[in-house]
Each structure stands twice: as C-alpha cells, then as structure tokens.
C-alpha cells in the first residue's frame, strides 16, 4: 500500500518559536524541562497550565439553575485534567473550562502534551524528534508536572486518550492518584473495532429495532449508487454524534427522495479538511501520530467495508510505522487500580460505545458507572458542565454518589460549541427539507387548490374524472 502524504508540519506555517515566546507571557503557564527520552538526555520545555481559585472569604456557589447540590466540603486535592488526544492541546482550547473549574473552588492543572502546542519544540526551536514520542515518556511527563507543581496527589480526570493515560498513571504511580474520573475512556486497540461494529449494527445491519428502517433505506441507497457505502461511515458517525439517530434518519430519508446531498457533501468535505489535522496550538497530529497509530493502534481495524468509520484514520496510519501490538495490556492491569473511580459514558456515544465503559467499570475494583442519557462522545467537550460537577465531586471524595443523579446531570445544557454544531446540522437538514424549490412547489399547489375551491363554489357541477385535490398523490 502506498504511504499517505504526510501533513505539513506546524513549524513550516509561521515563526513558531516567536509565537511560543509570546504565549509564554501568560501568568498561568509553567515550564518543566524534560528529557527527550530515557536514551536521549537532551532537554525540551514541557509546559502546563495551572489555574487556582481566587482567594475569597465567601464560599463557592454553584449556578442555582440546574446543577445538583454538591458536597459542602472544600476540594481535598487539585485536579489534573487530561483531554482526548494525543494530538489535542490543553492550554489554549480549555482556558474557559479551567476558569470555570477554578470558580468552583478547584486548583486545576492541564499538561500540554509533548509534540503539541507549547510543548512541541526543543530548546533550540526545532520540532521534537519521532523517537521522543512514546507513551512511556508521556506518563513520566505527568509525574514530572505533579512534582514541579508540588502536588503529591491529584484527582485525575481523563477523557478518551486522556482516560487511557489516567489509568496508566493510577496503575504505575498509585500514590499520586487520589481519585479517577474516566470519561469516554480508551482502554485498548480493540475499542475501535467495537465502535466500528456498533455503527454497523445501528445503520447497516439494522440489528437495533430503533434504527432498522434507516439501515434498510441506507442499504438500498448504496445498492442504487446514491451513497458510496465505503466512504459513508465517517459521515454517518459525524451526523450521529452531533444530531443523534434522528438526524441520521432525516438525512437518509432526504437522500431517498432526491434531496440531502448538499448536507451529505458538506459534512464529508469538512471531515476531509486538513485544518482538522493541523491547527497550531489546538490540534496537531503530525508529531503525535506515532503514539496514536504505532503504539495505540488507531486505524488498525480499518477494513474498507460498508460504513467503515476508520477509513480516514486508517489512511493516516500509513504515514508512520505499523502497529505491532499493545504497549500495555490495560484490560489485564486495570484490576490493580486502587483509587476510587467514576467511569462516565454517554448512552449515544459511537466513538467509545457504552459497552467499553461498562466493561471497564467491571474490571476496576469498586468503580462506579455513570451513564448519561442522550449524551455522546467526550463529556468533557460536549457536556462540560457534567464533567465539571464530576471533577469537583471527585476532588471532594464524593463522586460515588453521582450515578444516582444521572437524570439531573443529563438535564444540564450542552457545551456551546456542541450546541452550535448540532443546531447547524438541524438548520442544514431543514433547509434541504424545505428548499426553495420545495417551497415554490408547495405554494403553487396551495394556490391551485385554492383556485379550484373558489371555482367549485362558483360552479357547483361535479368535475367528472377528477379526484378532489385532497385525495391526489403528492408529486414530490
């Protein structure tokens, strides 16, 4: 198979060292110098952000409108928050979230992952080398950040890949972990195969009665050539994640009557955009691809079959050395976790289906499962208010009480970005459903029926051979 063309490196796009120097003026940014690897003693600046609560004699008050009444005690430990990745930056994208958590009385640390954002360059302003990108070094980075911040224990909150790192930290450095919150967690390379099959069960095989009709129509459209089944997986997954099964059903129904192609094409084009792979200080895949694909096996299960959601990530995996097997067997090691653990999942998550979280909660002794009805992948990014509650309760040592508040938590509003994407998708579907052509047709039909009713009132004689307008078939 030919190797895919590598993405442009972020340092080729602008003066990265100068931009790094400018951003270091932030008063919440800390630097700890780390070795490239155990075999390469050269140092690079690893950055992390720390947001502390404002000193005040007044008690912290949570928003009154919806959040469940939380613990009255102050948080016992700081929170180490690990976003999904490994390509996701921590410092700039989560500024607002850190301030919000600090407003709830939390001392929050977020490490900028090596090879990304403000931890991308070595001390001479060059990109970190490929051999510096290993899971072992990333976990040691986390310990170095805790040491530098003089945090003996932290409530570790990880989402997706961040949840993977949180588990590894709790297994090999249990003395540093006060408690765990694992949101939409990654547990092994096999997770993506579970997600792939779950998507096909819903929208291709039709084994779920709630989506069997949508699956049947989609198979018919693929057979007619209206939809390319091999490329459709990523589009269906994206529409599901931002609109749920209802949005997928609406889009497939529109395609079945000759509309919906604009929405379909727009989603596919967005997914193919290079800026999704390389936005400096936000998301940068190029250096971390070795961890994602070679060590974690992302894209390894891409098979080119119908509705394969791994097609794009499988193509990206060809740019780095192939996956040779799990670096760590977290399924076997998870029972060694002793920290109090809360596992979070959304009932409609297709990237990390609830089955993965349920099985993880069973492997970790004493873990509690919190399944949010209607939520989708990454509670951190899509339902951050829920994640903030979980982080605070975990730092206070009371997260085990949250599963009984699942309905209250589900009622909290979605994150602004996720809400905007969901509404944008709804608007796009509505625009195609009620396109100008459709509106003109409906208007003309209504005018014709009105004229016929007026004529019938003037001329009461029956119109032979013609049915009343209300009984005629819709021409669309």
């Amino acid at each position: 198979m030919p190797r895919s063309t590598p993405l442009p490196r972020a340092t080729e796009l602008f003066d990265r060292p100068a931009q790094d120097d400018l951003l270091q003026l932030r008063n919440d940014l800390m630097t700890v110098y780390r070795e490239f690897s155990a075999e390469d003693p050269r140092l690079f600046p690893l950055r992390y952000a720390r947001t502390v609560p404002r000193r005040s004699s007044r008690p912290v008050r949570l928003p009154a409108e919806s959040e469940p009444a939380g613990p009255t005690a102050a948080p016992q430990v700081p929170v180490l928050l690990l976003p999904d990745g490994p390509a996701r930056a921590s410092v700039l994208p989560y500024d607002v979230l850190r301030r919000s958590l600090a407003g709830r009385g939390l001392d929050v640390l977020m490490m900028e992952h090596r090879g990304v954002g403000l931890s991308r360059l070595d001390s001479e302003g060059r990109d970190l080398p490929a051999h510096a990108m290993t899971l072992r070094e990333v976990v040691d980075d986390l310990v170095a950040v805790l040491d530098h911040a003089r945090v003996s224990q932290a409530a570790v909150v990880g989402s997706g890949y961040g949840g993977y790192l949180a588990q590894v930290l709790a297994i090999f450095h249990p003395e540093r972990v006060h408690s765990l919150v694992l949101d939409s967690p990654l547990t092994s390379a096999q997770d993506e195969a579970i997600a792939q099959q779950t998507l096909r069960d819903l929208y291709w095989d039709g084994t779920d009665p709630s989506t069997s009709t949508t699956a049947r129509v989609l198979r018919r459209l693929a057979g007619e050539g209206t939809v390319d089944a091999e490329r459709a997986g990523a589009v269906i997954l994206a529409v599901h994640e931002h609109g749920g099964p209802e949005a997928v059903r609406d889009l497939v129904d529109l395609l079945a009557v000759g509309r919906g192609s604009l929405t379909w094409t727009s989603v596919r084009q967005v997914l193919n955009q290079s800026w999704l792979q390389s936005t400096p200080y936000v998301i940068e895949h190029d250096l971390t691809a070795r961890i994602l694909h070679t060590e974690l096996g992302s894209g390894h299960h891409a098979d080119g079959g119908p509705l394969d959601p791994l097609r794009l990530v499988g193509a990206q995996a060809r740019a780095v050395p192939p996956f040779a097997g799990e670096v760590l067997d977290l399924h076997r090691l998870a029972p060694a976790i002793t920290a109090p653990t809360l596992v979070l999942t959304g009932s409609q998550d297709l990237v990390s289906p609830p089955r993965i979280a349920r099985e993880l909660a069973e492997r970790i002794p004493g873990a509690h499962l919190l399944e949010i009805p209607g939520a989708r992948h990454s509670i951190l990014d899509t339902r951050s208010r829920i994640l903030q509650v979980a982080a605070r309760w975990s730092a206070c040592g009371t997260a085990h009480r949250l599963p009984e508040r699942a309905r209250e938590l589900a009622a909290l509003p979605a994150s602004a970005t996720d809400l905007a994407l969901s509404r944008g998708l709804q608007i796009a579907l509505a625009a195609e459903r009620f396109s100008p052509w459709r509106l003109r047709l409906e208007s003309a039909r209504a005018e014709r029926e009105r004229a016929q009713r007026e004529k019938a009132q003037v001329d009461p004689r029956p119109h032979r051979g013609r049915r009343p307008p209300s009984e005629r078939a819709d021409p669309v």
Side-chain angles (χ1 to χ4, degrees), residues 111-135:
M111 182 187 78
E112 192 86 312
H113 196 287
R114 61 168 58 205
V116 177
L118 290 158
S119 297
R120 180 186 178 96
L121 306 181
D122 65 16
S123 57
E124 297 180 357
R126 295 187 298 259
D127 282 345
L128 290 176
H131 70 263
M133 297 296 132
T134 67
L135 283 169

Side-chain angles (χ1 to χ4, degrees), residues 126-454:
R126 295 187 298 259
D127 282 345
L128 290 176
H131 70 263
M133 297 296 132
T134 67
L135 283 169
R136 181 182 65 179
E137 300 301 339
V138 173
V139 174
D140 288 345
D141 289 345
L142 292 173
V143 176
V145 164
L146 293 175
D147 288 343
H148 188 268
R150 298 183 180 180
V151 173
S152 58
Q153 271 198 331
V156 184
V157 180
S159 180
Y161 164 76
Y164 185 100
L165 294 179
Q167 293 171 71
V168 177
L169 187 66
I171 291 166
F172 292 100
H173 301 277
E175 73 284 356
R176 311 306 296 267
V177 179
H178 166 270
S179 54
L180 283 176
V181 176
L182 305 176
D183 159 32
S184 311
L186 174 68
T187 67
S188 77
Q190 191 64 27
D191 289 1
E192 67 175 21
I194 294 173
Q196 180 188 61
Q197 189 56 53
T198 303
L199 180 70
R200 286 170 171 163
D201 288 345
L202 280 175
Y203 296 117
W204 187 257
D205 299 328
T207 57
D208 189 319
S210 66
T211 57
S212 58
T213 301
T214 303
R216 183 168 61 252
V217 175
L218 192 56
R219 291 196 304 271
R220 176 171 63 80
L221 292 174
E224 294 170 352
T226 304
V227 169
D228 183 348
E230 292 184 11
R231 298 172 181 268
V235 176
I236 294 294
L237 177 61
V239 173
H240 174 97
E241 283 295 311
H242 295 295
E246 299 81 8
V248 177
R249 179 199 61 210
D250 290 347
L251 179 56
V252 171
D253 287 349
L254 283 170
L255 291 169
V257 295
R259 294 194 295 278
S261 59
L262 181 59
T263 301
W264 183 278
T265 302
S266 298
V267 173
R268 188 178 64 192
Q269 288 177 344
V270 167
L271 294 172
N272 286 329
Q273 292 300 310
S274 60
W275 56 264
L276 286 176
Q277 305 299 321
S278 183
T279 302
Y281 303 104
V282 177
I283 186 165
E284 302 177 62
H285 277 278
D286 54 340
L287 297 187
T288 58
R290 187 179 182 278
I291 293 176
L292 181 64
H293 302 296
T294 306
E295 293 200 331
L296 294 174
S298 179
H300 175 66
H301 292 89
D303 57 17
L307 298 197
D308 184 4
L310 304 172
R311 185 176 180 278
L312 293 176
V313 72
Q316 294 161 5
R318 293 197 291 270
V320 294
F323 175 62
E326 301 271 7
V327 176
L328 294 169
D329 185 353
L330 286 193
H331 285 197
R332 181 179 61 82
L333 294 171
I337 295 175
T338 57
T341 302
L342 177 69
V343 183
L344 278 172
T345 185
S347 65
Q348 292 188 8
D349 186 354
L350 283 188
V351 178
S352 179
R355 169 188 162 185
I356 295 170
R358 294 171 191 148
E359 293 176 354
L360 176 60
E362 291 175 357
R363 286 193 295 270
I364 298 176
H368 293 82
L369 176 69
L370 173 56
E371 187 165 339
I372 305 298
R376 291 179 279 279
H377 184 65
S378 182
I379 305 297
L380 169 65
D381 295 302
T382 61
R383 306 292 293 273
S384 67
R385 289 277 291 278
I386 297 174
L387 194 283
Q388 291 179 57
V389 173
R392 187 171 191 275
W393 286 44
S394 182
C396 293
T398 54
H400 60 279
R401 291 163 42 193
L402 280 175
E404 62 194 50
R405 318 295 288 272
R407 291 193 177 277
E408 291 176 73
L409 292 168
L412 294 176
S415 303
T417 301
D418 187 66
L419 190 60
L421 290 170
S422 298
R423 287 180 175 172
L425 179 61
Q426 292 171 3
I427 291 170
L429 291 171
E432 295 218 68
R433 187 181 302 112
F434 302 108
S435 64
W437 172 83
R438 175 75 177 186
L439 291 174
R440 287 196 299 270
L441 181 62
E442 294 288 349
S443 177
R445 184 171 66 177
E447 180 64 24
R448 186 172 64 250
E449 292 178 354
R450 184 190 62 80
Q452 289 173 347
R453 284 195 300 271
E454 292 177 354

